[in-house]
Amino acid sequence: MAARGFLYGGDSGGGAVGGGSGFNSVLVTNKRAACSSSKPLDSFFVSGSSHFAGSRSMFSFEDGRNGSGRTFFQTYDQEDNGDDEYDDYFNHPEKKRRLKADQVQFLEKSFETENKLEPDRKIQLAKDLGLQPRQIAIWFQNRRARWKTKQLEKDYDVLQESYNKLKANYENLVQEKEKLKSEVHDLSDKLLLQETEKGASDSSSTKSPSEPLQQEQVADCLNDEDVSKTSNVGVKSDSSNPRYVDLLERGDSSYLFEQDQSDESLDEEDNLEKMFVTPVSGYMLPKIESCHYPELDAVNSSYLGFPGHGDDEDEDQHFGFWSY
DNA sequence: TTGTGTTTTATTGCCTCC
DNA sequence: GGAGGCAATAAAACACAA
């Protein structure tokens, strides 16, 4: 590792005198240590009224005192920076010391009050705790960093929870969509089957297979009391188309989903008018304005809160979902 | 006891503000 | 330009399982 700077050299200003473990020489690598400070109190701070005298963090020994029974700072200050003490100190590889529990508690309370540190408060805390102002500043800095990390974790949890809810909601909607899609498909098939059966029975009795279906027959097939409203049912429109009849007899529903491009006789716009694309599946289906199928009602009323599908709705709106 | 992971204390360099 | 904040990082101290 690169040479480390000196403890409390920065804010302490007037001369760095410390270092990491095992240092044997005085190095000044910290720019804060190198520059002079306008706050001499930050340097070799000695508290006259410390409630925590004896705890000097990295400069203290096990019990907060060096071999002579005085703290390093007391020694250093009071003994006029004697070379003996100085050498003694630097030849004695000091360990980094943690703050005592009561000091930490005091700092925590102070942090709760205000997580920023005004210079005056820093000095006061240093006095009260018998620590270097620089230590107080560092402690607050690290404490803010920890607080920020915790906040980020909390924010992450909140976002995660929010995401999970949205995801679950989305998955429910997808499921519902698939369900509705298959219901639409089933109902389409059911409708086709009814049409096919009706068409087959009618053609076997009175009409030849080649005869086009009558509007009334389709209306009956759709089991609707209002025949006039089925005038734009797609199947009727194609009843003159031999291919349609053929498909109908074979029970092929594909005509519902594709336009007969081969039929030049049909007006394309007119034809499109009689079809619509389902909102869910995108299938092309014939327009049915007034057919009443309970299953479709259920589908309509449950279709993602689409408006206008209540039981009391006007008859014309019963298939608002279907009609365009 | 030792290896390993975590926490705490401290440094360094960069940035912003006054 | 100096003071102070912050992010990144080092390294000591600590916790704990094997």
Side-chain angles (χ1 to χ4, degrees):
Chain A
M1 171 200 168
R4 302 187 67 200
F6 289 93
L7 300 170
Y8 324 126
D11 282 349
S12 54
V17 289
S21 62
F23 57 79
N24 290 314
S25 60
V26 177
L27 296 171
V28 177
T29 58
N30 189 338
K31 71 167 183 189
R32 296 186 211 281
C35 67
S36 60
S37 171
S38 59
K39 293 173 184 165
L41 265 177
D42 277 9
S43 173
F44 301 125
F45 184 83
V46 175
S47 168
S49 61
S50 170
H51 304 127
F52 299 91
S55 175
R56 288 290 174 183
S57 189
M58 290 180 74
F59 289 115
S60 64
F61 291 95
E62 197 58 33
D63 60 353
R65 298 170 184 282
N66 63 12
S68 62
R70 290 171 293 191
T71 67
F72 169 78
F73 288 94
Q74 286 167 334
T75 299
Y76 195 76
D77 287 342
Q78 293 169 7
E79 303 233 347
D80 198 25
N81 299 355
D83 283 342
D84 290 347
E85 294 291 339
Y86 188 86
D87 289 343
D88 217 28
Y89 178 79
F90 283 104
N91 287 330
H92 201 298
E94 187 52 45
K95 298 288 182 183
K96 187 189 280 185
R97 300 223 62 80
R98 291 198 170 189
L99 303 182
K100 289 180 175 173
D102 48 359
Q103 288 174 318
V104 171
Q105 201 176 352
F106 197 89
L107 288 167
E108 287 287 354
K109 281 197 173 155
S110 184
F111 184 83
E112 276 174 30
T113 311
E114 174 65 58
N115 72 346
K116 291 274 181 174
L117 200 55
E118 297 301 318
D120 288 348
R121 193 158 147 251
K122 179 169 71 178
I123 300 301
Q124 190 56 50
L125 279 170
K127 276 184 181 177
D128 290 344
L129 296 173
L131 296 170
Q132 293 295 302
R134 171 74 177 156
Q135 280 180 285
I136 305 293
I138 288 167
W139 189 90
F140 266 75
Q141 217 162 79
N142 288 323
R143 187 65 184 78
R144 280 195 295 269
R146 288 199 294 274
W147 179 82
K148 193 179 174 184
T149 304
K150 282 245 162 43
Q151 283 302 117
L152 283 171
E153 283 172 3
K154 278 183 189 171
D155 288 349
Y156 176 83
D157 287 345
V158 168
L159 285 172
Q160 179 85 12
E161 195 179 338
S162 175
Y163 168 78
N164 287 339
K165 278 181 184 168
L166 279 172
K167 195 180 170 196
N169 199 20
Y170 168 77
E171 281 164 0
N172 284 341
L173 286 173
V174 167
Q175 268 188 337
E176 194 176 350
K177 178 189 162 189
E178 289 303 317
K179 192 180 150 203
L180 291 172
K181 218 169 155 181
S182 74
E183 277 185 45
V184 166
H185 205 88
D186 287 350
L187 290 168
S188 299
D189 285 349
K190 209 180 276 182
L191 181 61
L192 179 69
L193 195 64
Q194 282 186 348
E195 289 167 356
T196 309
E197 283 170 355
K198 191 77 178 173
S201 67
D202 286 350
S203 59
S204 67
S205 58
T206 57
K207 293 185 176 65
S208 69
S210 58
E211 277 182 337
L213 273 162
Q214 296 303 307
Q215 181 176 341
E216 292 79 11
Q217 293 173 328
V218 175
D220 285 343
C221 151
L222 294 175
N223 193 26
D224 193 293
E225 70 278 4
D226 189 353
V227 175
S228 65
K229 287 183 179 175
T230 64
S231 60
N232 60 346
V233 169
V235 288
K236 182 253 174 185
S237 300
D238 281 340
S239 61
S240 59
N241 181 354
R243 182 167 178 254
Y244 156 73
V245 175
D246 182 47
L247 289 169
L248 201 62
E249 284 178 353
R250 295 200 329 249
D252 188 343
S253 65
S254 62
Y255 77 99
L256 286 169
F257 308 110
E258 66 174 20
Q259 296 237 228
D260 189 352
Q261 303 296 332
S262 65
D263 191 355
E264 303 291 333
S265 68
L266 283 173
D267 180 74
E268 197 168 319
E269 266 184 44
D270 193 44
N271 203 24
L272 276 173
E273 253 182 35
K274 291 160 188 168
M275 303 294 281
F276 78 100
V277 181
T278 58
V280 173
S281 61
Y283 290 144
M284 293 263 310
L285 291 170
K287 280 184 183 172
I288 304 168
E289 286 187 345
S290 59
C291 297
H292 198 132
Y293 287 95
E295 298 96 326
L296 289 181
D297 269 354
V299 171
N300 284 340
S301 62
S302 69
Y303 183 66
L304 302 182
F306 264 43
H309 304 305
D311 286 338
D312 297 328
E313 298 291 335
D314 186 87
E315 188 73 6
D316 282 340
Q317 295 197 352
H318 244 111
F319 282 80
F321 162 47
W322 289 73
S323 301
Y324 274 59

